[in-house]
Amino acid sequence: MQRDDVPFLYPYRVRWADLDPQDIVFNPNYFVFFDSAANEYLRAVGYSLRSGMANDGADILAVKTEAEFRSSARLDDDLEIGVAVPHIGRTSFQFAFPVWRGDELLVLGRITYVAVGLASRRPIPVPPAFIAAIRDFEKTMQPVEA
């Protein structure tokens, strides 16, 4: 994934609390970074999970997380966490989170979510308002699957 493929960058400076005994970012902490970046992305898109999804009678549940680690981040590294939505299916969508230190890609994370009804907690179609907000924001959106 290249920077040109990413519509949103979230800056983050590595803190001492992010490190493990090897003095590198403790690998699960990247998922905390992804969550913060996704929240800021959705704020920039103008569609929050709390009000936007709830207003559409939906919520989302994470069903798959993954991260490819290529290099380690250390204390005081200035990172940029990219956020993109490369795929929206009928009931699910995926966030991609490339993490850069300068020009070096350190980590590529992905989280797949399923849209569920607020009351039923069963899969439902991804709300059209969410899809429209993402399409308006993303520059290189893949077609939505029927």
Side-chain angles (χ1 to χ4, degrees):
M1 181 169 271
Q2 304 298 317
R3 269 184 220 252
D4 292 344
D5 300 328
V6 179
F8 185 83
L9 292 171
Y10 175 71
Y12 185 81
R13 180 168 299 175
V14 176
R15 305 167 308 150
W16 182 79
D18 299 323
L19 306 180
D20 65 14
Q22 296 172 314
D23 287 329
I24 59 176
V25 171
F26 185 44
N27 58 337
N29 285 338
Y30 284 99
F31 289 95
V32 176
F33 302 170
F34 301 160
D35 185 65
S36 295
N39 283 326
E40 293 305 316
Y41 168 91
L42 290 171
R43 182 171 285 129
V45 166
Y47 188 96
S48 76
L49 292 180
R50 183 163 308 273
S51 62
M53 283 282 178
N55 288 343
D56 290 333
D59 196 359
I60 59 171
L61 302 176
V63 295
K64 182 178 181 182
T65 62
E66 58 186 306
E68 298 172 27
F69 299 97
R70 300 179 180 190
S71 191
S72 300
R74 298 182 179 280
L75 182 64
D76 285 332
D77 280 353
D78 286 317
L79 307 179
E80 289 184 302
I81 303 160
V83 184
V85 178
H87 172 79
I88 299 178
R90 193 177 79 71
T91 62
S92 67
F93 64 94
Q94 181 184 80
F95 276 118
F97 302 99
V99 179
W100 287 281
R101 178 181 52 218
D103 291 332
E104 182 183 13
L105 180 63
L106 303 179
V107 178
L108 179 55
R110 294 177 199 88
I111 302 178
T112 302
Y113 291 93
V114 170
V116 297
L118 282 175
S120 71
R121 307 303 277 180
R122 307 291 300 158
I124 63 171
V126 176
F130 176 81
I131 296 170
I134 299 300
R135 276 193 173 153
D136 287 346
F137 191 76
E138 296 265 346
K139 295 176 183 164
T140 56
M141 178 76 180
Q142 295 296 320
V144 175
E145 294 179 2

